[in-house]
Amino acid sequence: MSIFQKTTIALARSPAVGQAMRAMAARTSLAGRFVGGADVDEAVRTAERLREAHGIRASLFYLGEYVADRAAIDHNVNQAIDACRALAGAGLDVHVSVDPTAIGYMRDDALGEENARRIGTAMQRFGGQRGQRGQGRDWLVLDMEDSGIRDRTCALHRTLLEAGIPAGLTLQARRRRTPEDLAWAIRQRTSLRLVKGAFPERALDHAGRARIDQAYLDAAAIMLSREARESGFYPVFGTHDDRLAGAIIDLARERGWPAGSFEFEMLYGVRPDWQIALRRLGYNVRVYLPFGADWWPYAIRRVGENPRNAWLLARSLKSDGHYFG
């Protein structure tokens, strides 16, 4: 891990810096631009506006990462369950993303699995109660964190699927073992979110932007295979890179995947004009929509994972358009 990344992690974990940044956010548009709301009700209202204005869907994520305190874990789980309830009540997709380290895996794997099952069961229950208010694509999606928890996250995904819970998984194209994980996943009736990946580790990764981009496209080709389509697999491409998106669109068209059979996912507030443009072309778009007061660790970790994210965030603040008005 680079000195830059270590520094950003230290900043993310600093209570004093976090307090100062939250105070600044109250006087600026910074947090509001990239965070969907201070609480679940605000986040769902944002998701409703996105759906009504542009047909953009949302995956809600409560801002709480790397926690071992039992009270904090319980709070994170309850927020995810509340998000399921509120999304269903609004007739939206009951679609939530969780970090395993936020729901118990920093304390005990059995606790983390139990909490994931609780959230997944709530998602199914509330989604089933939505009735005629909307037809949803309901998923509990597991975020991929550092390599120390990767195998446990993949194992949790399989456990949830075996329990009949619609669970998705995030995989990182930069990791050399991702095609191996994909070979199993595309044979399942599941969803997989492909991202370039964060916190590079030389022993595990492809090196260099060009090679990582090619690895992303190689993984996309597996996700858009005939075998994947026949199994009911649902591909999700997490990228803000329009070059990659264009190549994926061409590949999907060549292989007979209709525009509505896969989706692009991006961070809320990052390149909204591009998100809206993709929707106008008929493609499914979802935003990863964080909510909660603790936005500073989330924002600074995104920069620490990939310094280029700082450019994306700055570009979005200055000139990349807005969702509303």
Side-chain angles (χ1 to χ4, degrees), residues 21 24-25 28-38 43 46 50 59-61 63 240 266-272 275 287-292 294-296 298-300 302-303 309-323:
M21 294 304 295
M24 184 189 77
T28 71
S29 63
L30 183 59
R33 184 64 189 269
F34 303 113
V35 176
T46 299
L50 287 167
S59 183
L60 266 59
F61 167 76
L63 291 166
H240 302 91
M266 301 180 219
L267 299 176
Y268 175 73
V270 178
R271 303 202 67 193
Q275 297 172 20
V287 293
Y288 186 89
L289 197 156
F291 69 96
D294 203 19
W295 67 274
W296 169 248
Y298 165 81
I300 197 64
R302 301 297 80 79
V303 174
N309 286 342
W311 176 82
L312 279 173
L313 295 175
R315 176 181 172 186
S316 292
L317 275 173
K318 291 181 63 176
S319 61
D320 236 9
H322 300 271
Y323 293 111

Side-chain angles (χ1 to χ4, degrees), residues 110-189:
L111 175 64
E113 180 183 324
E114 176 189 347
N115 284 333
R117 286 176 180 267
R118 285 181 58 203
I119 297 167
T121 301
M123 176 200 66
Q124 291 178 297
R125 181 172 72 254
F126 292 122
Q129 294 172 0
R130 185 176 41 228
Q132 299 302 314
R133 297 197 61 189
Q135 181 178 3
R137 191 177 292 280
D138 303 338
W139 292 97
L140 167 61
V141 181
L142 303 176
D143 294 332
M144 185 59 70
E145 300 174 274
D146 60 77
S147 62
I149 197 171
R150 177 189 175 114
D151 288 343
R152 289 181 287 163
T153 302
C154 291
L156 175 60
H157 177 231
R158 296 189 185 209
T159 296
L160 294 175
L161 290 180
E162 290 169 359
I165 294 172
L169 179 68
T170 306
L171 287 181
Q172 300 169 318
R174 72 181 311 128
R175 296 282 190 256
R176 289 195 296 268
R177 63 167 277 185
T178 288
E180 177 185 339
D181 292 326
L182 275 173
W184 177 84
I186 63 167
R187 298 194 299 271
Q188 317 305 314
R189 196 171 185 83

Side-chain angles (χ1 to χ4, degrees), residues 86-99:
L87 287 165
L92 300 170
D93 291 358
V94 184
H95 198 294
V96 294
S97 295
V98 298
D99 287 355

